[in-house]
Amino acid sequence: MDKYIKAMTQESDFERQPSEKDRYQHLLIDDAFKRVFGEEGKEDLMIGLIKAVLPELDIVSLTYISNNAPHQGTDTKKSVYDVRCKLADGTYVIVEVQQKDQLNFRDRALYYGSMPIVSQVGEGDEYGLDPVIVIAFLNFKMEHAPEWEPKLKSRYILKEVDGGDMMTDKLQFVFIELKRFTKKIDDCETFEEKLYFCMRHMFKLENRPGNLDGVYFDNLFRTADIANMTAKEYEAYIRAMASERDIRNQIRYGVEQGRKQGHIQGLEEGRIEGRIEGRIEGREEARTETAIKMKAAGIALETIAECTGLDIETVKSL
């Protein structure tokens, strides 16, 4: 793989600015993903991507539909999908790419997936629903229950908790955690593995590896080649990369500020605690000194203890 990929000294994919030396687009950037897989004329690329994830699907044809979710309710919350399409058998497929984990990510996925379900039912309908599948390519590792066995691809449907009786498979979620995909290109054997490699590493490639051959990869590499973008498309891509980098920098800045604030708070708490302890220690010394003077003046031990707050045994030992 090293002979195909530029040397990367930073762990993050976004530590460097996009440049004219970049040959291929980053497929996990929303802007690039939509352009490569989600436009009219790119149906074959999307079909191949879906079948790589779910090979059991018999996809005859695919139609792109609006990536704005039909909105229910009176609030202003709306969903905008990366790519939303419909298969010939009526199945809705939503495909998302996600660079960074976020608060309530699974709830967000559920919200996105439920919109096509809700939108199918009109007044007087008998609730005959077409299936909805949400496929999410994630450039991070999700959090899972302790008993979960680590794997690249997780698939969720609605089942009864104890017996596993199927409630419905008409709402499915498939999460591909690409951070768990660590194979080098020469180790990729299946079409699925090769496509996952492209999803994660294609933007780093200087040349097309020899084992990524065939009509599908011919089309994919041609479509993702920056040289084939219009000036307007390239400008949008640069903005998208910059926006992604800005978000990461803002997160990094917030984390660093939090650490600094915590350090400052810790120092301040230490100073406060030190002052309090110092005052306590000072009071202890003052009480002891007063007790010694009172005892030298012949004042009763009980009276000294009562006045200084020291216990009688401490007074006796002075």
Side-chain angles (χ1 to χ4, degrees):
M1 183 174 70
D2 294 338
K3 63 182 177 180
Y4 301 114
I5 295 183
K6 301 175 183 179
M8 300 293 291
T9 58
Q10 300 289 345
E11 180 180 356
S12 171
D13 294 346
F14 298 94
E15 291 294 341
R16 62 177 177 84
Q17 292 277 352
S19 72
E20 294 179 358
K21 295 180 180 180
D22 296 336
R23 182 167 183 181
Y24 300 107
Q25 301 174 59
H26 194 314
L27 299 182
L28 293 177
I29 296 294
D30 291 352
D31 176 81
F33 181 79
K34 294 172 186 177
R35 184 182 302 110
V36 172
F37 291 101
E39 296 180 346
E40 297 294 333
K42 312 292 178 59
E43 289 86 354
D44 286 346
L45 286 176
M46 178 55 77
I47 289 173
L49 185 66
I50 296 172
K51 292 196 72 170
V53 177
L54 299 172
E56 69 275 15
L57 291 181
D58 183 18
I59 305 178
V60 177
S61 64
L62 175 152
T63 303
Y64 294 112
I65 53 181
S66 172
N67 64 346
N68 291 305
H71 183 54
Q72 305 292 325
T74 57
D75 62 2
T76 58
K77 189 81 172 171
K78 295 184 179 180
S79 297
V80 179
Y81 308 124
D82 285 341
V83 178
R84 184 170 176 249
C85 51
K86 194 170 185 178
L87 309 184
D89 65 358
T91 300
Y92 291 87
V93 181
I94 299 165
V95 187
E96 291 278 307
V97 291
Q98 188 77 26
Q99 275 289 345
K100 197 74 176 174
D101 198 1
Q102 59 182 245
L103 188 65
N104 300 324
F105 169 73
R106 295 189 188 214
D107 286 352
R108 176 174 176 264
L110 179 61
Y111 178 79
Y112 272 35
S114 66
M115 288 295 101
I117 292 286
V118 174
S119 66
Q120 293 181 49
V121 180
E123 186 175 353
D125 287 350
E126 295 299 325
Y127 297 98
L129 301 174
D130 291 321
V132 176
I133 303 173
V134 178
I135 299 174
F137 291 92
L138 312 176
N139 204 25
F140 57 88
K141 295 180 181 180
M142 296 174 64
E143 291 187 3
H144 296 276
E147 62 272 15
W148 182 81
E149 181 180 350
K151 53 186 176 180
L152 171 66
K153 180 169 65 177
S154 300
R155 189 171 178 180
Y156 298 86
I157 55 179
L158 298 177
K159 285 187 175 181
E160 197 272 332
V161 173
D162 296 322
D165 182 48
M166 177 78 71
M167 174 184 170
T168 179
D169 61 353
K170 289 192 174 182
L171 179 58
Q172 300 186 40
F173 299 88
V174 184
F175 300 120
I176 298 96
E177 301 175 47
L178 289 173
K179 285 292 186 182
R180 301 185 188 277
F181 184 78
T182 57
K183 284 192 174 185
K184 296 181 179 180
I185 185 58
D186 294 334
D187 298 325
C188 295
E189 298 178 355
T190 67
F191 177 77
E192 182 179 12
E193 290 175 344
K194 293 176 181 180
L195 197 45
Y196 289 166
F197 177 88
C198 290
M199 293 295 291
R200 185 172 183 191
H201 297 295
M202 190 174 189
F203 81 105
K204 303 174 189 175
L205 297 177
E206 290 184 321
N207 298 291
R208 175 178 168 183
N211 66 340
L212 295 180
D213 55 1
V215 175
Y216 184 89
F217 288 107
D218 287 344
N219 193 8
L220 177 61
F221 275 82
R222 182 175 58 254
T223 305
D225 196 325
I226 289 177
N228 294 326
M229 300 171 68
T230 66
K232 186 176 181 180
E233 288 173 338
Y234 183 70
E235 181 182 354
Y237 176 63
I238 295 298
R239 284 200 305 269
M241 285 288 287
S243 176
E244 190 72 43
R245 188 171 50 253
D246 288 345
I247 292 172
R248 284 175 175 252
N249 287 337
Q250 289 167 9
I251 293 172
R252 189 178 297 112
Y253 175 78
V255 170
E256 185 61 28
Q257 289 298 109
R259 290 195 185 117
K260 289 181 180 179
Q261 186 62 37
H263 178 65
I264 293 171
Q265 183 177 352
L267 292 176
E268 183 62 26
E269 289 175 353
R271 284 196 291 268
I272 293 172
E273 185 176 342
R275 288 199 296 268
I276 292 173
E277 290 179 354
R279 289 173 182 173
I280 292 173
E281 291 174 358
R283 286 198 295 270
E284 289 290 338
E285 292 177 0
R287 287 190 296 173
T288 300
E289 184 178 347
T290 299
I292 291 172
K293 290 179 179 179
M294 293 176 71
K295 190 174 181 181
I299 299 174
L301 298 180
E302 291 79 4
T303 302
I304 296 173
E306 183 179 351
C307 292
T308 61
L310 298 173
D311 62 81
I312 192 68
E313 295 301 324
T314 299
V315 174
K316 287 179 180 180
S317 66
L318 295 175

